[in-house]
Amino acid sequence: MERMKLVQVLSLFVCALIGNVLSGSSHDFQDLRDREGVLTFLEYSEAVSSSSSVIDEPLMVGLTLIQGADSKGAVCLDGTLPGYHLDRGSGTGKDSWLIQLEGGGWCNTIRNCVYRKTTRRGSSKLFEKQLPFTGILSNKVEENPDFFNWNRVKVRYCDGASFSGDSQNEASQLYFRGQRIWSAAMEYLMAEGMQNATQALISGCSAGGLASIIHCDEFRELFPQSTKVKCLSDAGMFLNAKDISGGRTLQNFYSGVVSLQDVQKSLPSTCIDHLDPTSCFFPQNLVAAVRTPLFLLNSAYDVWQLQSSLAPSSADPRGTWKECKQNYAQCNSSQIQFLQDFRNQMLDAIKVFSASNQNGLFINSCFAHCQSERQDTWFADDSPRMGNRRIAQSVGDWYFDRENVKAVDCPYPCDNTCHNLVFNDVVSNITFSQSTRLISTSLNLPIIFLVSLCSLRTTGFKFVQ
């Protein structure tokens, strides 16, 4: 019965994923939608299938729409109300608050944003009514030892510019109101009890990880100095790096996002005063100036950046990177060197940031993306480690000032604790692989069956450890 219940819940995610991710026309940056959507779905599936430390099904938390937000212009791309999911804290955590900003790519053109408003990334009409709270949001001490009993909130993402920008396009009925959504959500949560917080942590994954950097100091300013406030960015360290053709794929894309949505209004003056707005949307130009303690959790070989900005199909017309992108183990020596150069760029970009004692780092050498939201990578018996310390332990040690945490992994392939993401574009499969073993889980068949029932295209998911 428990297995059937799990399959029923998964079916809702699969159908929503396929309907929202796989519809729409192809585009050089389709990966900005597809990869992010698939990875979001996998947070849940991995949490319930892969970790030996998971005892029960994850807590499902209901959606709350922010009533009255529209009167302040704080609306999703399609004009609907923004929302969040809140699980109240208890015991020693009743006055502690963890805010997680949802990720999910960006939109850089009217056409892309019009498409996006027909998905859960642009309309609250398509939000899931319940979301699983796993990883850093889990309510179980054995899965989330430091934050399990805090007030834990997931703020939904529906603006397409990392909760930033403030403009609109009347002809296309698009509302770019990320900054207003951020402000409305914070105001609403303060009234819900966050104003009494003694401890607070804002986090985010991917586009939400970028948002947690942009809004870190704003978050600090919400509270009195007596409140312990810190920020966590997971997989948000997007680099303005050259792609395999020598171009600037991500810079060109970000330029569209910033200009279309007037993102410069939300960017810190410490950056805008001396750099152009597009440059100031890149975290490498922001993190050193953030005054509030900030923790960067990132892979040195971020799968999203590899797939979508370093080796997109537009930069690889002959497909020479196809096998390498599908499976990192298939990369040749020159491709590995390219990836090692990318890792070096990331380490160079955070040198000044890492010199500050208040900041923290966990930069591992895994082919991964968003490691705080998935239970198997956040805190499980076989989670990725550095110095025998898992990600959850590292973040907790840093937040509570138990230890300074500046963990930087040795270069690939030295780390055998990774949970690597392997994409197979031939049949649109994603596989989770762990360096130490490969065991197929029993969820493969029911999930693939559900996909076939709901699919708009032939798609499959594989969950492999």
Side-chain angles (χ1 to χ4, degrees):
M1 290 297 294
E2 290 183 0
R3 177 68 64 176
M4 288 303 297
K5 182 179 179 182
L6 173 59
V7 170
Q8 289 172 352
V9 175
L10 283 174
S11 69
L12 299 176
F13 280 81
V14 174
C15 293
L17 173 68
I18 295 171
N20 292 340
V21 171
L22 296 181
S23 60
S25 59
S26 61
H27 188 275
D28 284 346
F29 260 83
Q30 186 171 351
D31 282 351
L32 286 157
R33 307 188 298 248
D34 296 359
R35 305 296 183 191
E36 199 74 49
V38 172
L39 290 169
T40 300
F41 167 76
L42 292 178
E43 296 165 23
Y44 177 75
S45 59
E46 279 299 286
V48 298
S49 68
S50 68
S51 172
S52 59
S53 69
V54 176
I55 299 172
D56 302 311
E57 293 179 18
L59 176 70
M60 301 298 292
V61 179
L63 171 67
T64 298
L65 295 180
I66 303 177
Q67 301 299 328
D70 51 345
S71 67
K72 302 175 182 179
V75 293
C76 298
L77 284 172
D78 70 338
T80 54
L81 293 173
Y84 64 87
H85 302 251
L86 163 63
D87 185 48
R88 293 281 182 179
S90 61
T92 58
K94 66 182 178 62
D95 292 324
S96 299
W97 286 74
L98 168 65
I99 309 299
Q100 186 185 63
L101 303 177
E102 186 179 32
W106 312 268
C107 62
N108 68 326
T109 65
I110 294 296
R111 180 182 178 184
N112 282 353
C113 293
V114 166
Y115 161 78
R116 189 180 177 94
K117 75 174 183 176
T118 66
T119 77
R120 64 192 173 92
R121 298 301 191 208
S123 173
S124 62
K125 291 186 295 184
L126 298 169
F127 284 172
E128 298 89 340
K129 301 307 180 188
Q130 291 185 313
L131 282 183
F133 271 27
T134 61
I136 196 172
L137 293 177
S138 173
N139 66 330
K140 303 176 181 67
V141 65
E142 65 271 19
E143 298 176 5
N144 189 23
D146 283 312
F147 308 108
F148 73 98
N149 64 347
W150 284 31
N151 297 279
R152 287 154 293 104
V153 184
K154 185 153 193 167
V155 182
R156 301 305 297 269
Y157 179 38
C158 63
D159 64 274
S162 288
F163 294 90
S164 302
D166 189 2
S167 64
Q168 69 183 71
N169 184 280
E170 293 183 5
S172 301
Q173 294 184 313
L174 286 168
Y175 301 90
F176 306 119
R177 300 290 174 76
Q179 182 65 42
R180 297 194 198 191
I181 291 173
W182 156 263
S183 298
M186 293 304 106
E187 180 181 348
Y188 207 83
L189 291 170
M190 291 295 277
E192 285 291 301
M194 193 169 71
Q195 61 183 344
N196 300 317
T198 57
Q199 301 180 119
L201 173 64
I202 189 165
S203 70
C205 156
S206 197
L210 171 56
S212 69
I213 295 171
I214 292 173
H215 293 296
C216 181
D217 286 335
E218 283 183 77
F219 188 65
R220 164 72 269 186
E221 291 169 3
L222 295 173
F223 304 94
Q225 284 303 308
S226 58
T227 304
K228 187 183 188 71
V229 180
K230 296 189 178 185
C231 311
L232 165 65
S233 173
D234 178 8
M237 194 63 191
F238 299 98
L239 292 187
N240 188 2
K242 290 183 179 180
D243 60 38
I244 57 174
S245 69
R248 299 275 183 177
T249 298
L250 192 54
Q251 177 181 291
N252 293 337
F253 187 85
Y254 272 4
S255 177
V257 176
V258 170
S259 60
L260 178 65
Q261 302 204 35
D262 279 351
V263 171
Q264 64 270 18
K265 297 176 183 178
S266 303
L267 298 173
S269 59
T270 52
C271 184
I272 291 294
D273 287 347
H274 65 281
L275 289 176
D276 64 273
T278 298
S279 295
C280 292
F281 201 55
F282 280 96
Q284 66 200 74
N285 298 317
L286 299 176
V287 291
V290 174
R291 301 183 302 276
T292 308
L294 172 63
F295 192 101
L296 296 180
L297 164 60
N298 228 93
S299 165
Y301 312 100
D302 184 85
V303 163
W304 186 92
Q305 294 193 62
L306 169 60
Q307 293 279 333
S308 300
S309 68
L310 296 179
S313 56
S314 58
D316 186 28
R318 296 186 178 181
T320 56
W321 274 73
K322 185 176 182 180
E323 291 186 0
C324 177
K325 286 199 301 179
Q326 290 171 6
N327 185 346
Y328 61 92
Q330 302 301 315
C331 299
N332 60 39
S333 58
S334 63
Q335 290 167 336
I336 290 293
Q337 185 57 55
F338 181 89
L339 296 177
Q340 303 295 22
D341 290 342
F342 176 74
R343 172 183 178 272
N344 291 335
Q345 290 178 62
M346 180 172 293
L347 297 183
D348 286 342
I350 59 176
K351 275 185 177 178
V352 175
F353 168 86
S354 62
S356 171
N357 289 333
Q358 72 175 8
N359 296 327
L361 289 173
F362 193 99
I363 310 293
N364 58 4
S365 291
C366 304
F367 287 79
H369 187 72
C370 291
Q371 299 178 88
S372 66
E373 298 183 343
R374 284 174 44 201
Q375 193 61 52
D376 70 313
T377 48
W378 173 247
F379 192 77
D381 291 342
D382 56 358
S383 291
R385 300 173 185 246
M386 275 194 280
N388 204 34
R389 191 160 46 184
R390 289 168 282 191
I391 293 170
Q393 294 168 304
S394 300
V395 173
D397 285 347
W398 164 79
Y399 182 87
F400 293 104
D401 302 311
R402 295 189 292 246
E403 287 187 45
N404 287 331
V405 180
K406 300 287 176 64
V408 178
D409 219 346
C410 47
Y412 169 82
C414 69
D415 192 337
N416 65 359
T417 70
C418 290
H419 291 208
N420 293 301
L421 290 168
V422 178
F423 291 81
N424 186 335
D425 290 332
V426 177
V427 292
S428 299
N429 283 340
I430 291 184
T431 301
F432 279 91
S433 70
Q434 196 170 5
S435 300
T436 52
R437 66 184 189 277
L438 292 172
I439 304 172
S440 179
T441 73
S442 59
L443 279 177
N444 280 3
L445 291 178
I447 290 173
I448 293 174
F449 173 69
L450 288 170
V451 172
S452 68
L453 288 179
C454 304
S455 64
L456 301 174
R457 302 179 185 176
T458 303
T459 307
F461 300 91
K462 290 184 179 179
F463 304 94
V464 178
Q465 250 187 318

